[in-house]
């Protein structure tokens, strides 16, 4: 099911080849080094990387607040695209509501695409859309676009810094 609300999308170009950028998105040994909002630390990661499998993670904010999330993979096209259902979760991987926004959609359809730029750079585009959401969830999502830009910019900055270490 798709929703009627316009998706959120953001992109950044990274100075790294597409196969490496895809690998750091799909290998838990890489993800635990960068996949978090700015100033958060990763406290848990587990992954079953296959269609139907999950990536479960825990984050801790600067004030000690913990947030958990889960991705359930729907499509994996190596070096091109990842599609998954993104949700907040508890530490056991059960879906929960957003800890700071109880009207946030319970699930998001998320797609990450990887595109060659000049054979030495990679454009990553992330698209989110409420999935199986009600009107209140859609409205909450729609009003949070500026915050999503800030959040993804922080995560993209983490990725950019991490890629420079490889």
């Amino acid at each position: 099911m798709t929703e009627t609300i316009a998706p959120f999308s953001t992109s950044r170009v990274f100075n790294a080849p597409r196969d490496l950028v895809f690998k750091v998105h799909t290998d838990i040994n890489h993800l635990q080094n960068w996949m978090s909002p700015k100033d958060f630390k990763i406290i848990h990661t587990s992954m079953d990387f296959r269609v139907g499998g999950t990536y479960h993670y825990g984050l801790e904010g600067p004030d000690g607040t913990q947030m958990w999330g889960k991705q359930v993979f729907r499509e994996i096209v190596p070096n091109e695209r990842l599609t998954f259902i993104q949700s907040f979760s508890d530490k056991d991987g059960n879906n929960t509501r957003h800890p700071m926004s109880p009207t946030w959609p319970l699930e998001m359809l998320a797609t990450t695409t990887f595109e060659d730029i000049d054979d030495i750079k990679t454009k990553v585009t992330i698209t989110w859309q409420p999935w199986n959401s009600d009107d209140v969830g859609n409205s909450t999502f729609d009003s949070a676009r500026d915050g999503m830009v800030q959040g993804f910019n922080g995560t993209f900055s983490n990725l950019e810094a991490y890629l420079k270490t490889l």
Side-chain angles (χ1 to χ4, degrees), residues 62-134:
D63 65 354
T65 301
Q66 291 187 0
M67 294 191 335
W68 295 82
K70 181 175 70 173
Q71 299 172 351
V72 180
F73 298 106
R74 296 173 53 94
E75 180 184 36
I76 299 169
V77 181
N79 299 327
E80 291 183 23
R81 183 175 51 258
L82 298 170
T83 304
F84 49 89
I85 299 296
Q86 173 74 51
S87 60
F88 286 91
S89 74
D90 61 21
K91 67 179 182 175
D92 298 317
N94 302 304
N95 284 6
T96 62
R97 290 285 174 187
H98 189 304
M100 296 174 283
S101 180
T103 58
W104 185 258
L106 188 60
E107 297 177 312
M108 306 294 297
L109 178 62
T111 302
T112 304
T113 60
F114 306 85
E115 179 185 348
D116 284 330
I117 304 292
D118 301 329
D119 294 327
I120 57 170
K121 296 180 181 178
T122 304
K123 180 179 180 182
V124 173
T125 301
I126 295 175
T127 305
W128 274 22
Q129 186 167 4
W131 186 252
N132 295 326
S133 183
D134 60 15

Side-chain angles (χ1 to χ4, degrees), residues 40 160-161:
F40 277 70
E160 194 167 55

